[in-house]
Amino acid sequence: MGAKDDKKRVKKLKSKKLEAEEELNNVQEIDAHDIVMEQKSDKKRGKKVKSKKAEAEEHEEELKRLQEKDPDFFQYMKEHDAELLKFDATEIEDDADVEPDTDLEDTEKEGDDEATKMEIAKKVHVQKTITASMVDAWSKSIEDEAKLGGVRSILRAYRTACHYGDDTGDDQSTKFSVMSSEVFNKIMIYVLSEMDGILRKLLRFPEDTRGTKETILELTNTRPWKNYNHLVKSYLGNSLHVLNQMTDTEMITFTLRRLKHSSVFLAAFPSLLRKYIKVALHFWGTGSGALPVVSLLFLRDLCIRLGSDCVDDCFKGMYKAYVLNCQFVNADKLKHISFLGNCFIELLGTDISAAYQHAFVFIRQLAMILREALNTKTKEAFRKVYQWKFIHCLELWTGAVCAYSSQSELRPVAYPLAQIITGVARLVPTARYTPLRLRCVRMLNRLAAATGTFIPVSMLLVDMLEMKELNRPPTGGVGKGVDLRTLLKVSKPAVKTRAFQEACVYTVVEELVEHLSQWSCSVAFFELSFIPTIRLRSFCKSTKAERFRKEMKQLISQIEANSEFVNKIRALIKFLPNDLAAESFLEDEKKAGKTPLLQYAEIIRQRAQQRNESLVESDVIVGENSAVFGKNAPSSDDEDDEDRMEKGAAAFNSSWLPGSDSKEKEPEEEKTKKKKRKRGGKSKTEKKQDEQGLGEDDVVEDFVLSSDEEEEDLFDIGGDKDEDDAVDEIADPETKTSKKTKGTYKTWHKAYKKTKKKKARVAS
């Protein structure tokens, strides 16, 4: 019976504590108008309004007297539920005793009401001001005494900081709303740096691991989670809000880096998880500096820890963001696109089986676009294939297959991918699309090297050498240097220049050497190099340029030398070509690079690198570590805490702070651009973009991912049309249409009349 009585008394104490906490929340949520009305009604009834803090102090004294009155029950409480004995009256804020006025008449004057309202408004305003001493007191109570009240108070202040500047109207119900920039900085740094550890202690999270989805699911069934899960949701929800409001890159980077440690808790909040994925994808696709790298690490951490809950959304969203960034390319943007592609390939490695499913779907989409172009043979269908988005998607999946070629999941997509690339290369076999064909050849060489599969690339290359533009003298002069890596199509005047001919021939030689060197140690090298050698001799005879003839003779001699080297050793072997021993043929020589063609390939690579460096005027380094993976990347995802604190302290002292103007000043370059646009002129950079074929449509818009909307066509070519497109090259004669704008004939007729009058004057 004694145990039952003790349990009943424990329940009573718990109910008292819950009532006190509820009263505390009610006091925090009550607004100024409610305070005035309560005081009025109490004064009319002649009752004394008792302070909530006084009630809390009485309850605390009762707990102290309990030890003297009933020590056995006190000991029982200490063993079974010590939290009830840790009641602290200081956590309850004093709402001040309001003395009754029995002589107060029922009809009070309006002036007295207004004065009372002003006093209460002042009192509420004082309560809502956050000072640095309050933040220090809260943090000290958390660190030294592990008080729950301090955690709640600092999270309320954090919510106020995250929602600072929001339009709350006349709502006075918020607990805090006023703070200085110093206090704002202190709250943001403390909460983002320490709250993850505080919440893990409250939830009794396993210390030996950072957690997975299964750990969180087990944790949701425990009592600490039921008591404190609202604190976790408040922290993650307010952090998401502030991420959407921030504009400074350093602040976003610091916030996202710190939130990565708490990302495992998102497994319990699916709606927040989807929103965090959208925000991180947006920052990855549109951010600058270190932000894309931090966003990638955040998404990668989510995929590893939460698995299938977010893998599909991350893969789809990142692929879409990559496509949007690949619409236009120049020499400066190549590194950034390469960085984004490396990020996507890195993320695919978190779940290879899911990566195969997405690769199959997206590669099939590319195949359907190519099939439409082959069947319809219209200008619009060709444009869908011959655009940067399509080509970069092919390069992306080529890189993915090459990166994970040792794993069996992605190897099945190598064959259809090679078929699509070959079809794209042969779609429009004209000289103007030579850069595109060379990109396709480069992709095929990469696939062949990674998978160890022979792909007949040599025919694509030698066909280019037989084009009439490369076999006749240049009529357009020397011309500017042509960087074939940054082009898909060359203009008509550029095709007739000497620079274009040299770039084409030298690049064909480089790719042909790369292809043949991969099989320079094959037992069948003589057979697979026989036809290319004959075609090279034919070009050597037909070309009139001595420099090209010299280049071809040197290449032919190296191929013949390698054939002799292989044939000598092949004459001594006894196994058949289909035996497994054929795979180990000249394996040691291949590793050592002793064959003539491998040595020549090394010289050609160095020459190509020097030629490419001379064409590129400037390089753009994207990301915190210049967008480099592998050896040059950071050794671990976690950085030193001191470094993070320094970056955070610097981050939250910039633009987005209380009392500062949220609108950033426009750079001087933007102002000058706007002035020139008003006058109708163009800046130097705009003129340079026009020369390179880039216009106002080359701006990539911000990426917005919405799973509710219908799937957009990523390869839509609206606004991606080339006015200088050769209709006779990519459309049938039946589809040719004459494009005449209004007033064309009138303007021509006026000009003709003027020239006629001038000739008459000269004759007279």
Side-chain angles (χ1 to χ4, degrees):
M1 294 294 291
K4 289 183 178 179
D5 293 339
D6 290 343
K7 289 182 180 179
K8 289 181 180 178
R9 297 173 73 179
V10 168
K11 287 182 179 179
K12 287 182 180 179
L13 283 172
K14 286 184 178 179
S15 63
K16 278 190 176 183
K17 185 173 181 181
L18 289 172
E19 287 176 4
E21 290 180 354
E22 288 177 2
E23 292 293 340
L24 173 61
N25 293 332
N26 292 334
V27 170
Q28 293 165 355
E29 298 296 331
I30 196 166
D31 58 4
H33 179 69
D34 292 337
I35 294 173
V36 173
M37 296 303 295
E38 283 179 8
Q39 286 185 0
K40 275 180 163 186
S41 61
D42 290 336
K43 285 179 181 179
K44 287 179 182 179
R45 290 194 299 268
K47 293 182 180 179
K48 182 175 178 71
V49 182
K50 196 169 186 179
S51 171
K52 302 298 177 186
K53 187 168 184 178
E55 292 181 0
E57 289 175 353
E58 288 180 6
H59 182 63
E60 189 176 11
E61 289 177 3
E62 288 178 3
L63 291 175
K64 290 180 181 178
R65 289 196 297 269
L66 180 65
Q67 187 175 5
E68 300 175 358
K69 289 182 178 181
D70 196 345
D72 296 334
F73 177 68
F74 185 84
Q75 186 64 28
Y76 175 83
M77 288 283 297
K78 197 172 183 181
E79 293 175 358
H80 291 81
D81 203 340
E83 291 183 2
L84 290 176
L85 299 175
K86 293 181 180 179
F87 182 80
D88 191 359
T90 57
E91 296 179 4
I92 311 297
E93 294 190 1
D94 192 5
D95 55 357
D97 290 342
V98 182
E99 296 294 335
D101 189 0
T102 55
D103 299 331
L104 188 65
E105 297 179 357
D106 294 339
T107 56
E108 294 181 340
K109 296 180 181 179
E110 293 181 359
D112 294 339
D113 291 343
E114 291 177 1
T116 307
K117 288 180 181 179
M118 291 294 293
E119 290 177 2
I120 298 300
K122 288 180 181 177
K123 201 173 287 186
V124 172
H125 180 76
V126 171
Q127 287 178 353
K128 292 179 181 178
T129 304
I130 306 175
T131 61
S133 59
M134 293 169 65
V135 179
D136 293 336
W138 293 331
S139 60
K140 189 175 181 181
S141 66
I142 294 170
E143 293 171 2
D144 298 344
E145 303 174 15
K147 287 188 176 180
L148 184 61
V151 178
R152 287 175 174 167
S153 298
I154 198 71
L155 281 177
R156 289 191 204 103
Y158 180 65
R159 182 189 183 281
T160 304
C162 292
H163 289 263
Y164 190 89
D166 292 358
D167 187 12
T168 56
D170 297 330
D171 184 18
Q172 300 291 335
S173 62
T174 54
K175 180 68 179 172
F176 306 115
S177 65
V178 181
M179 68 178 73
S180 63
S181 60
E182 180 185 355
V183 175
F184 174 87
N185 182 53
K186 181 172 287 191
I187 291 171
M188 296 297 291
I189 296 297
Y190 180 79
V191 173
L192 290 172
S193 302
E194 304 296 335
M195 190 51 63
D196 179 69
I198 294 169
L199 293 175
R200 286 173 183 265
K201 288 180 182 178
L202 285 175
L203 298 171
R204 298 172 188 174
F205 200 84
E207 297 181 359
D208 57 341
T209 177
R210 291 182 63 187
T212 58
K213 176 185 173 183
E214 289 74 19
T215 309
I216 297 298
L217 293 178
E218 292 176 3
L219 193 66
T220 53
N221 298 323
T222 61
R223 185 177 176 182
W225 177 264
K226 294 177 181 177
N227 293 336
Y228 307 123
N229 71 84
H230 64 283
L231 299 178
V232 180
K233 190 172 183 179
S234 173
Y235 170 58
L236 295 175
N238 292 323
S239 301
L240 176 65
H241 180 81
V242 79
L243 279 174
N244 286 319
Q245 300 299 320
M246 286 180 183
T247 56
D248 186 75
T249 303
E250 290 184 3
M251 293 169 64
I252 298 171
T253 302
F254 177 80
T255 305
L256 204 58
R257 183 186 286 118
R258 296 305 307 167
L259 287 171
K260 182 170 74 74
H261 300 282
S262 305
S263 61
V264 68
F265 292 116
L266 291 171
F269 310 105
S271 59
L272 280 178
L273 174 62
R274 289 192 295 270
K275 293 176 182 178
Y276 264 100
I277 290 173
K278 290 179 183 179
V279 170
L281 287 171
H282 173 78
F283 290 144
W284 178 79
T286 62
S288 59
L291 184 55
V293 179
V294 176
S295 303
L296 168 68
L297 295 177
F298 182 84
L299 292 170
R300 182 176 175 272
D301 199 67
L302 282 179
C303 292
I304 292 173
R305 302 191 185 287
L306 306 187
S308 58
D309 286 355
C310 60
V311 164
D312 292 339
D313 291 337
C314 289
F315 285 178
K316 290 178 182 177
M318 191 169 278
Y319 183 73
K320 183 177 179 181
Y322 175 83
V323 172
L324 291 177
N325 276 277
C326 295
Q327 191 162 0
F328 298 98
V329 172
N330 53 31
D332 295 337
K333 203 175 177 183
L334 271 175
K335 275 199 171 183
H336 182 60
I337 293 175
S338 175
F339 163 70
L340 296 178
N342 288 338
C343 289
F344 182 74
I345 294 169
E346 181 75 13
L347 196 68
L348 290 178
T350 58
D351 192 343
I352 296 295
S353 58
Y356 167 75
Q357 297 174 1
H358 289 278
F360 180 84
V361 171
F362 291 128
I363 291 174
R364 182 176 177 272
Q365 183 185 12
L366 298 174
M368 291 172 67
I369 295 171
L370 177 61
R371 184 181 65 181
E372 182 186 358
L374 291 170
N375 291 338
T376 60
K377 296 183 179 179
T378 60
K379 187 176 180 181
E380 298 300 321
F382 283 128
R383 274 202 183 121
K384 275 194 172 183
V385 177
Y386 279 16
Q387 60 173 330
W388 278 114
K389 289 186 284 189
F390 191 94
I391 300 303
H392 276 297
C393 287
L394 289 177
E395 291 184 343
L396 178 68
W397 292 116
T398 301
V401 172
C402 294
Y404 303 108
S405 59
S406 59
Q407 303 187 27
S408 59
E409 284 82 359
L410 283 181
R411 287 183 71 90
V413 300
Y415 177 74
L417 184 61
Q419 292 292 325
I420 295 169
I421 296 171
T422 305
V424 171
R426 295 184 182 277
L427 187 61
V428 183
T430 59
R432 291 186 65 189
Y433 286 98
T434 298
L436 186 142
R437 176 174 280 209
L438 289 170
R439 294 184 81 92
C440 293
V441 168
R442 206 171 289 119
M443 286 186 268
L444 292 173
N445 278 336
R446 288 179 62 192
L447 279 175
T451 60
T453 308
F454 176 76
I455 300 175
V457 174
S458 57
M459 293 299 104
L460 291 173
L461 293 168
V462 293
D463 286 345
M464 295 168 61
L465 294 176
E466 295 180 356
M467 293 178 181
K468 59 182 180 180
E469 288 83 0
L470 299 181
N471 286 288
R472 59 188 179 189
T475 58
V478 177
K480 294 182 180 179
V482 181
D483 190 358
L484 300 178
R485 300 172 304 161
T486 62
L487 299 171
L488 290 183
K489 185 180 68 172
V490 184
S491 62
K492 286 182 179 179
V495 173
K496 301 175 183 178
T497 60
R498 173 176 173 175
F500 172 75
Q501 289 184 349
E502 290 181 351
C504 285
V505 173
Y506 291 150
T507 309
V508 166
V509 171
E510 291 163 8
E511 295 303 326
L512 188 59
V513 170
E514 192 70 29
H515 167 66
L516 293 175
S517 64
Q518 294 176 6
W519 307 102
S520 61
C521 296
S522 172
V523 70
F525 178 79
F526 175 76
E527 286 77 11
L528 64 89
S529 64
F530 181 73
I531 295 178
T533 305
I534 294 175
R535 300 279 295 274
L536 289 175
R537 285 200 182 99
S538 176
F539 174 76
C540 193
K541 292 177 182 179
S542 62
T543 184
K544 297 179 181 179
E546 183 61 30
R547 59 188 184 281
F548 296 156
R549 194 179 294 114
K550 182 179 179 182
E551 187 75 20
M552 292 303 154
K553 286 181 178 179
Q554 189 175 4
L555 176 58
I556 292 169
S557 64
Q558 293 295 332
I559 294 173
E560 290 176 347
N562 197 87
S563 297
E564 292 178 4
F565 176 78
V566 173
N567 289 338
K568 284 182 181 178
I569 301 176
R570 191 170 73 170
L572 304 176
I573 63 174
K574 297 180 180 179
F575 55 81
L576 298 175
N578 58 352
D579 289 345
L580 294 176
E583 296 181 2
S584 60
F585 180 73
L586 293 178
E587 188 175 358
D588 296 335
E589 285 78 0
K590 186 176 181 179
K591 291 179 180 179
K594 293 182 179 179
T595 62
L597 203 56
L598 284 173
Q599 295 174 358
Y600 182 65
E602 193 63 31
I603 298 172
I604 292 295
R605 290 191 196 105
Q606 294 176 2
R607 188 186 72 178
Q609 185 178 358
Q610 293 174 359
R611 186 164 56 85
N612 293 332
E613 288 174 356
S614 64
L615 292 172
V616 178
E617 295 178 356
S618 61
D619 291 333
V620 175
I621 297 178
V622 181
E624 194 172 16
N625 295 284
S626 68
V628 177
F629 286 83
K631 296 180 180 178
N632 296 329
S635 57
S636 63
D637 296 343
D638 300 331
E639 298 178 2
D640 294 332
D641 291 337
E642 296 179 359
D643 187 34
R644 286 179 183 143
M645 291 299 296
E646 289 176 3
K647 291 183 178 180
F652 290 99
N653 282 325
S654 54
S655 58
W656 193 74
L657 288 173
S660 63
D661 190 5
S662 61
K663 295 181 180 179
E664 297 179 358
K665 295 181 179 179
E666 293 181 342
E668 295 295 330
E669 296 178 1
E670 295 293 331
K671 290 182 179 179
T672 54
K673 282 183 181 179
K674 286 183 179 179
K675 288 179 181 179
K676 289 182 179 180
R677 283 171 189 164
K678 288 179 181 179
R679 293 196 296 264
K682 289 186 177 181
S683 61
K684 292 182 179 178
T685 54
E686 289 175 340
K687 289 179 180 177
K688 189 175 181 181
Q689 288 179 353
D690 292 341
E691 291 175 1
Q692 294 177 353
L694 303 175
E696 293 180 357
D697 295 335
D698 299 349
V699 180
V700 179
E701 297 179 355
D702 288 349
F703 166 67
V704 179
L705 175 66
S706 177
S707 57
D708 300 331
E709 297 177 0
E710 294 181 0
E711 192 68 25
E712 298 178 2
D713 186 6
L714 295 178
F715 301 96
D716 185 19
I717 57 171
D720 190 22
K721 297 178 180 179
D722 190 358
E723 296 177 359
D724 191 34
D725 215 346
V727 181
D728 55 334
E729 291 185 359
I730 63 173
D732 292 337
E734 299 175 355
T735 62
K736 293 181 184 178
T737 56
S738 59
K739 297 181 181 179
K740 290 186 179 180
T741 57
K742 292 182 179 180
T744 305
Y745 175 74
K746 291 181 180 180
T747 53
W748 173 83
H749 192 59
K750 287 179 181 179
Y752 176 75
K753 280 186 176 181
K754 288 180 182 179
T755 53
K756 198 171 183 182
K757 288 179 182 179
K758 287 181 181 179
K759 288 181 180 179
R761 288 175 188 172
V762 172
S764 61

